[in-house]
Structures are given as structure tokens and as C-alpha cells.
Amino acid sequence: MSDIPALAPDRILRFHAPDKVFHSLNAITWFALLFTGMYVYFLNPSDEAAETAMLIHLILGAVFTFNLLGFIVIAPDRFALIMRACLEWDRNTIYWFRNFGGYPRRFFKIPFGPVEVPPQGRYNGGQKASYLLFMGMIAALAVTGWLLWIGAPVTGKFVYWATFYFHVWGSIIISVLVVCAHIPLALLSLEHFKGIWRLGPGTISVEAAEHHAPIWFERDVVRTDIEK
């Protein structure tokens, strides 16, 4: 039997507990890793301070890595659902980029593309592209981090430095995208933002679901009466 009837009639379960734990731990460790790494790389601290910062960086890196692995192993259905939704590209997904979801027109008064935004599924075109990029970089930064830590003795000089610069600048570039695009756009959908971050059920309002993800709402909520 569905869990939806147990919720308030105007609320829909959007984020399950594994989604919320993974997202929260990933966000916290990401920025903690960014700050400790940039501190050592850019500020040239004393040897003692750099050693302490890198020890913290390594511990955080282990948490960052096992957070991803834990999500995949403990909640494979949730991980598969997210990846499947991100890889489901149809005409409406492609057409989202014709006006970038209407955001240029709505917030910057730039008449870019058609006025109407094509209906989207669980994620819109921009979210699908960015989430695939983020998930790829999460995996890549975890792999390169471990390679720099324990693989340095067996890698050549070129491989080591290529890995190092990818690790450093890849993390910085993606962090800029997160701060300048992902976070502001997430705040524009405050219902989703509160749903993923609040303690307790990760619900959103029916109104937010119908507005931001009408295809998902019709296909996976209304027709089946369950959250998928």
C-alpha cells in the first residue's frame, strides 16, 4: 500500500531518507574539502598548518568517498532511480534548453527563446545535465584523491601532476558552477530546497510538483499513487 495517504493531502514524498543523507553529507564534505584544499594550495601555510589541514582533508575525503559508495550499496534503488531519470532525455528535455527554463526572461528580462517552457519530468533539462556532471565529478574527485594519496609511488611524474591539477581545478570549476547556478536555482524552488534539507520527511507541496515537474507528477504520482 502507498505511503502517500499517510501524508498531508497537499504534500508529496519527493526525497527519501537515503537521498537526504547522501545529499547533505556530500554538500558538507564537498565544501569542507574545497576550503581545506584551497587553504593549502593558495595560502602557502606553515608546514605544521599544512599538515594538519591535509590530515583533515584526507579524513573528509574518506567520508566523501564512502558516502557515495554507501548510497550506491545501501540504497541502489534510489541511486538507480536518479541516474535513470537523469539519462531519460526526450524532446521536452532538449527543448528546455531553447529558453533555459524561462529563467533568463523571468529574472533578467532577456527575451531568450520561446515564452512557454515545455513540461518536464522528475528533473528538467538543466538539472539532468548538471546532475550528470556533478555525479561524474564526485566519482572522479574521489578516484583522483585516492590516487594522489596512495597511488603516488606507482604513478609517473606526468600522471601524478595531471591527476593533481585535474583534482584541484576540476573541484574549483565545479564549485563555481554549484555556487553560481545550482544553489541559486535551488533556492528559486524553495519547496524542493526545504524538502531535501529539512529534518523529517522530504515532502514538497502538490503545487510545487505540478509546477516544476508536471510529467513526473502525472506519471509517477497521480497515475500510480506512489512516489518513484
Side-chain angles (χ1 to χ4, degrees):
M1 182 177 294
S2 168
D3 290 335
I4 297 299
L7 302 174
D10 61 340
R11 308 296 297 177
I12 294 172
L13 183 61
R14 171 78 172 192
F15 306 105
H16 289 206
D19 309 337
K20 291 161 67 70
V21 171
F22 169 73
H23 180 272
S24 300
L25 275 178
N26 184 73
I28 293 168
T29 54
W30 180 288
F31 283 103
L33 285 163
L34 178 70
F35 293 145
T36 53
M38 291 180 64
Y39 170 71
V40 174
Y41 186 73
F42 289 108
L43 298 184
N44 193 28
S46 66
D47 291 344
E48 183 179 355
E51 184 177 343
T52 300
M54 286 311 300
L55 176 60
I56 296 172
H57 192 81
L58 294 174
I59 294 172
L60 290 169
V63 176
F64 179 79
T65 301
F66 289 108
N67 181 47
L68 174 62
L69 295 177
F71 184 47
I72 295 172
V73 172
I74 296 174
D77 56 328
R78 302 303 302 171
F79 177 76
L81 181 148
I82 292 172
M83 296 307 298
R84 184 168 61 247
C86 287
L87 292 170
E88 184 183 18
W89 287 63
D90 54 15
R91 186 174 65 177
N92 285 336
T93 299
I94 301 297
Y95 280 6
W96 184 92
F97 292 95
R98 293 169 57 183
N99 61 3
F100 286 96
Y103 291 119
R105 187 185 302 272
R106 180 181 174 189
F107 295 103
F108 302 106
K109 310 305 179 184
I110 300 174
F112 181 82
V115 175
E116 295 297 324
V117 179
Q120 301 294 298
R122 183 178 182 87
Y123 304 122
N124 63 44
Q127 289 174 320
K128 290 178 182 181
S130 61
Y131 292 172
L132 288 172
L133 177 61
F134 293 157
M135 291 299 286
M137 283 302 297
I138 289 169
L141 292 173
V143 170
T144 54
W146 285 96
L147 186 61
L148 289 169
W149 183 16
I150 63 177
V154 297
T155 59
K157 185 175 182 180
F158 174 79
V159 173
Y160 176 84
W161 284 111
T163 303
F164 176 77
Y165 283 115
F166 174 86
H167 189 80
V168 171
W169 289 103
S171 63
I172 292 173
I173 291 170
I174 295 299
S175 297
V176 170
L177 291 175
V178 170
V179 171
C180 295
H182 179 63
I183 293 176
L185 291 175
L187 290 172
L188 292 177
S189 179
L190 199 57
E191 273 291 306
H192 289 77
F193 181 84
K194 292 188 294 185
I196 195 71
W197 280 105
R198 75 160 61 92
L199 295 176
T203 60
I204 62 173
S205 68
V206 169
E207 181 182 5
E210 289 180 306
H211 176 73
H212 291 284
I215 293 178
W216 168 75
F217 179 76
E218 169 66 19
R219 184 180 65 187
D220 294 334
V221 178
V222 175
R223 289 184 182 176
T224 63
D225 197 34
I226 59 174
E227 195 280 340
K228 288 188 175 181

